[in-house]
Amino acid sequence: SRTKLTYESRANLAKSPVAKRLFNLMATKQTNLCLAADLSEADAILDMADKCGPYICLLKTHVDIVSDFSESFIVNLQALATRHNFLLMEDRKFADIGNTVSLQYGQGLYKIANWADLVTAHTLPGRSIVQGLKAALGGANSAKERGVFLLAEMSASGNLIDEKYKENSNKIATEGGDVDFVAGVVCQSADCFAFPGLIQLTPGVKIDEGVDKLGQQYQTPEHVVKERGADIGVVGRGILQASNVEKTAASYRDRLWAAYQERVAK
Ligand code: 5BU
């Protein structure tokens, strides 16, 4: 199964150039930690990115929660991504018709396609969402340098995704002419897809299992990697709210990476 293969070997199987890049980055930098930088001030995000940069392969944003968003925020964030060698993912969760997502991706205040290596999208509208996102690209933002992670499951308790939706999301991720744009799947379990060239991104990770007050469900780093098939574990508040951010980021990185090493060694 894909979970027994190393990230290096999976890089060779990836159809998406960005997935290939990310698998190789993970293998070289030895990290499968993604920081969810869910803070509402630009400087606070940049500070977190600088502190956690050495330990992460990916930094995930929600730009629409940044109160003082500006172009210089993006320039500074990209500089940190280059300095520390991590990719940027805007967790936009696109969910509309192709024409609308194309505009939301390329235009507006945030011009996500200009700077985010990766974005996320719901599969609810069907495969036209992938075509719509690709349609926003061209010129400097070529489809070769960008990719999407499709949602096949969510960590929220009571979410409406069922087995059929999950299976059909897998089909969109692995069949058809646009699979070179699909870098991975956001999900909670190893049975979401089988193709080893895709990356499984799993949010809802915390050293202490449990729930928050608004339906978020947490599992440990070891559990998501070894039992749930996660290739990258997403940690937000587990790091953001720690008294020592660097130390905590390093410890999440160590635990996620050790779990991966055990997984491929068996
Ligand atoms: P937390 O602070 O570790 O709970 O943050 C989790 C992040 O992952 C947050 O940015 C969510 O928007 C994101 N997320 C999630 O929690 N669950 C999901 O199923 C998906 C995304 Br998809």
Side-chain angles (χ1 to χ4, degrees):
S1 86
R2 68 170 159 95
T3 56
K4 298 283 177 208
L5 302 174
T6 62
Y7 297 145
E8 296 92 309
S9 63
R10 290 172 63 184
N12 294 324
L13 302 169
K15 292 185 177 145
S16 147
V18 191
K20 208 178 271 288
R21 217 177 122 198
L22 184 50
F23 267 137
N24 282 325
L25 190 164
M26 292 158 70
T28 321
K29 196 175 169 182
Q30 302 200 334
T31 171
N32 49 356
L33 169 64
C34 167
L35 174 71
D38 296 341
L39 298 166
S40 55
E41 282 174 27
D43 283 348
I45 296 174
L46 295 171
D47 181 52
M48 274 294 163
D50 200 19
K51 285 183 173 141
C52 300
Y55 312 107
I56 61 176
C57 60
L58 186 64
L59 184 137
K60 193 175 79 57
T61 54
H62 283 294
V63 273
D64 56 354
I65 66 178
V66 182
S67 309
D68 53 349
F69 179 86
S70 67
E71 250 176 72
S72 71
F73 164 62
I74 293 300
V75 171
N76 289 324
L77 190 58
Q78 283 182 309
L80 288 167
T82 303
R83 187 190 310 158
H84 294 297
N85 191 27
F86 57 79
L87 298 191
L88 297 173
M89 167 185 273
E90 164 56 23
D91 192 4
R92 175 62 181 75
K93 297 188 182 69
F94 294 101
D96 215 316
I97 59 165
N99 184 63
T100 301
V101 299
S102 172
L103 294 167
Q104 290 172 322
Y105 185 26
Q107 308 299 319
L109 213 50
Y110 305 120
K111 308 206 188 322
I112 297 165
N114 285 357
W115 55 268
D117 302 293
L118 294 157
V119 293
T120 56
H122 285 287
T123 52
L124 186 69
R127 62 174 70 253
S128 56
I129 196 154
V130 181
Q131 293 155 356
L133 291 171
K134 262 181 111 172
L137 299 169
N141 305 319
S142 89
K144 284 201 179 77
E145 288 155 18
R146 299 284 179 259
V148 66
F149 272 68
L150 296 173
L151 268 72
E153 279 182 319
M154 292 195 73
S155 62
S157 66
N159 73 80
L160 302 181
I161 294 173
D162 60 14
E163 283 302 309
K164 196 95 209 129
Y165 186 100
K166 218 165 93 173
E167 279 167 34
N168 286 326
S169 299
N170 176 31
K171 281 189 191 157
I172 295 175
T174 53
E175 295 169 13
D178 294 307
V179 290
D180 60 336
F181 191 64
V182 182
V185 175
V186 189
C187 64
Q188 298 288 317
S189 52
D191 67 356
C192 276
F193 65 93
F195 177 55
L198 288 169
I199 303 175
Q200 178 179 330
L201 185 80
T202 301
V205 179
K206 220 169 183 210
I207 282 169
D208 301 308
E209 277 175 10
V211 295
D212 72 4
K213 288 180 193 145
L214 300 170
Q216 174 71 303
Q217 306 179 108
Y218 290 114
Q219 295 162 22
T220 64
E222 290 75 18
H223 187 78
V224 294
V225 172
K226 286 156 84 174
E227 312 298 327
R228 301 299 191 101
D231 297 313
I232 299 178
V234 179
V235 182
R237 287 165 285 176
I239 291 172
L240 303 177
Q241 296 176 349
S243 50
N244 187 328
V245 164
E246 277 124 314
K247 241 177 147 176
T248 307
S251 136
Y252 272 101
R253 177 261 164 219
D254 291 350
R255 288 180 60 164
L256 286 164
W257 189 256
Y260 157 71
Q261 285 185 306
E262 281 175 41
R263 186 175 87 181
V264 293
K266 263 196 238 154

